[in-house]
């Protein structure tokens, strides 16, 4: 697990896949942190993405580095309104605080992915594969 977390901390921008009207949709998103096997992300509730997360409740996320290593996370989406965790994001990502001003901003939606798998791969060789 630690290899996966280390990789994501260095390569925190990835792509997340959802479904809209039966078709796949992929968009960039930034990994925030992992706590107890839960991989956290932040979005807003005024986007189609949020509606897709609520409707499907499952996602696939991938982040890659220039050396052709990647992490793929598949699992269930759970929304979490823990303002202390959003404060942690504000501390780690000053541009998010600048954009949204306060952790009480009603558009902010924190979610995590769990009940799935996280796998670090290098050129088709699995380096780490864990249940989350």
């Amino acid at each position: 697990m630690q290899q996966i977390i280390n990789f994501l901390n260095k390569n925190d921008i990835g792509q997340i896949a959802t479904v809209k009207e039966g078709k796949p949709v992929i968009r960039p998103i930034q990994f925030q942190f992992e706590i107890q096997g839960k991989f956290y992300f932040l979005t807003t509730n005024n986007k189609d993405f949020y509606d897709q997360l609520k409707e499907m409740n499952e996602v696939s996320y991938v982040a890659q580095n220039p050396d052709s290593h990647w992490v793929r996370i598949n699992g269930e989406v759970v929304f979490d309104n823990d303002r202390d965790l959003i404060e942690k994001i504000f501390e780690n990502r000053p541009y998010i605080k600048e954009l949204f001003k306060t952790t009480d901003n009603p558009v902010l939606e924190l979610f995590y992915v769990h009940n799935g798998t996280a796998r670090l791969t290098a050129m088709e060789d699995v380096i780490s594969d864990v249940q989350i």
Side-chain angles (χ1 to χ4, degrees):
M1 174 73 92
Q2 195 58 50
Q3 288 176 302
I4 292 169
I5 296 164
N6 291 345
F7 180 91
L8 289 171
N9 285 334
K10 292 178 186 167
N11 305 280
D12 61 356
I13 302 294
Q15 305 294 319
I16 197 164
T18 59
V19 176
K20 180 180 180 180
E21 298 172 4
K23 307 267 189 216
V25 180
I26 300 172
R27 67 190 42 80
I29 192 168
Q30 186 172 36
F31 165 74
Q32 298 300 327
F33 45 78
E34 177 275 342
I35 298 174
Q36 298 179 342
K38 299 171 184 174
F39 293 83
Y40 281 85
F41 301 88
L42 186 68
T43 190
T44 60
N45 57 24
N46 56 2
K47 296 179 179 180
D48 285 346
F49 175 55
Y50 173 76
D51 296 334
Q52 293 158 18
L53 291 172
K54 295 290 273 188
E55 184 177 327
M56 261 327 259
N57 196 35
E58 290 200 25
V59 294
S60 186
Y61 171 82
V62 66
Q64 182 175 352
N65 73 9
D67 297 327
S68 295
H69 291 68
W70 63 89
V71 164
R72 182 177 295 129
I73 300 169
N74 298 303
E76 296 176 6
V77 171
V78 175
F79 286 90
D80 185 340
N81 62 3
D82 186 331
R83 294 299 161 189
D84 290 336
L85 294 179
I86 294 175
E87 184 64 41
K88 180 177 177 175
I89 293 171
F90 275 37
E91 290 169 13
N92 293 339
R93 316 266 192 227
Y95 70 91
I96 291 177
K97 184 175 185 175
E98 184 177 315
L99 185 63
F100 294 106
K101 308 299 184 219
T102 175
T103 59
D104 292 330
N105 189 318
V107 301
L108 293 174
E109 297 289 344
L110 181 67
F111 69 94
Y112 60 86
V113 179
H114 80 133
N115 274 351
T117 59
R119 175 179 288 171
L120 173 60
T121 306
M123 300 298 291
E124 302 304 321
D125 294 324
V126 176
I127 296 170
S128 180
D129 191 12
V130 297
Q131 295 293 313
I132 58 169

